[in-house]
């Protein structure tokens, strides 16, 4: 469970158990306050600045996207029914990675088909990198990633383009999976 920008999820009052849960949620909400937010003053869009999670938060807010901060302090959101995370890696948090997760899992018996589809995609396109992981329960989990080293900094326009690139190309790959494996419940009887 994470914290959405508009407040904690699942607030209930009454029992001691729910009050304990409320305290834990309030503690997690403090994570949002600790994110390195960028000033709200106008920013020159053609000057590169160091990457910071606050800049990603500003991008969410500028585009009216809902987002959350999970228990580990990672930024994420749901786009077109799929979960995407936005990670900063490197000694100075200079590497931006947009990681998407397909909203369905696949039986282990289809692993070879999924790997073939990922390999075909990766051979024909630059973005996103697509791969599959087998979970402990034997189900196949499909993931996309777009990563960029931004050590020299990034302009607002470049950052926006990179974030949209991660979301749109990840969604395109997941759409291709939906075409290969249509959801039977989504089809008319």
């Amino acid at each position: 469970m994470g914290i959405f920008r508009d407040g904690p999820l699942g607030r209930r009052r009454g029992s001691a158990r729910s009050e304990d849960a409320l305290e834990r949620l309030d503690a997690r909400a403090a994570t949002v306050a600790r994110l390195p937010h960028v000033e709200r003053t106008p920013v020159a869009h053609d000057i590169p600045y160091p990457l910071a999670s606050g800049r990603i938060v500003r991008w969410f807010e500028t585009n009216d996207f809902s987002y959350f901060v999970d228990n580990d302090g990672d930024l994420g959101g749901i786009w077109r029914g799929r979960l995407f995370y936005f990670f900063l890696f490197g000694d100075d948090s200079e590497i931006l990675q947009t990681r998407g997760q397909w909203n369905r899992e696949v039986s282990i018996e289809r692993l070879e088909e999924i790997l073939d589809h990922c390999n075909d995609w990766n051979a024909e396109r630059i973005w996103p990198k697509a791969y599959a992981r087998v979970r402990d329960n034997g189900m196949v989990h499909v993931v996309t990633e777009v990563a960029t080293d931004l050590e020299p900094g990034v302009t607002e326009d470049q950052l926006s383009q990179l974030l949209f690139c991660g979301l749109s190309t990840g969604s395109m790959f997941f759409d291709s999976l939906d075409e290969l494996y249509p959801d039977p419940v989504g089809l008319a009887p």
Side-chain angles (χ1 to χ4, degrees):
M1 177 142 109
I3 303 298
F4 282 84
R5 73 178 167 121
D6 295 325
L9 293 176
R11 285 201 156 205
R12 293 184 197 153
R13 299 210 181 263
S15 70
R17 184 174 177 212
S18 63
E19 289 300 320
D20 290 342
L22 250 177
E23 288 176 21
R24 285 193 307 275
L25 285 172
D26 288 340
R28 283 187 231 143
T31 303
V32 174
R34 289 194 306 268
L35 287 175
H37 291 279
V38 177
E39 293 181 22
R40 299 289 180 207
T41 57
V43 175
H45 286 259
D46 59 346
I47 297 174
Y49 296 98
L51 185 59
S53 57
R55 292 182 68 191
I56 299 170
V57 167
R58 181 172 57 211
W59 179 80
F60 292 146
E61 292 171 352
T62 298
N63 290 287
D64 291 326
F65 292 146
S66 294
Y67 65 94
F68 61 85
V69 178
D70 72 7
N71 298 341
D72 296 323
D74 297 321
L75 295 170
I78 306 290
W79 279 266
R80 299 186 62 211
R82 290 119 178 192
L83 178 63
F84 284 85
Y85 274 96
F86 305 86
F87 297 109
L88 301 181
F89 296 116
D91 293 336
D92 297 316
S93 299
E94 73 277 8
I95 299 170
L96 170 66
Q97 182 188 85
T98 301
R99 184 183 305 168
Q101 299 177 23
W102 194 31
N103 57 332
R104 295 164 54 199
E105 291 183 319
V106 181
S107 168
I108 190 73
E109 289 79 16
R110 295 198 182 266
L111 178 59
E112 189 173 336
E113 296 169 27
I114 293 293
L115 291 176
D116 286 342
H117 187 67
C118 289
N119 288 335
D120 290 344
W121 181 277
N122 292 334
E124 296 173 10
R125 294 170 182 84
I126 298 172
W127 299 299
K129 173 177 74 174
Y131 60 94
R133 291 189 265 186
V134 178
R135 294 185 181 258
D136 291 341
N137 65 1
M139 296 300 286
V140 177
H141 177 71
V142 185
V143 180
T144 62
E145 292 179 2
V146 173
T148 309
D149 185 346
L150 301 169
E151 187 173 353
V154 61
T155 68
E156 292 299 304
D157 292 337
Q158 290 169 333
L159 179 59
S160 180
Q161 184 175 14
L162 289 168
L163 293 168
F164 276 122
C165 175
L167 290 173
S168 63
T169 61
S171 293
M172 288 169 53
F173 177 75
F174 296 140
D175 288 346
S176 73
L177 283 175
D178 287 339
E179 287 178 25
L180 278 176
Y181 305 102
D183 183 355
V185 179
L187 303 174

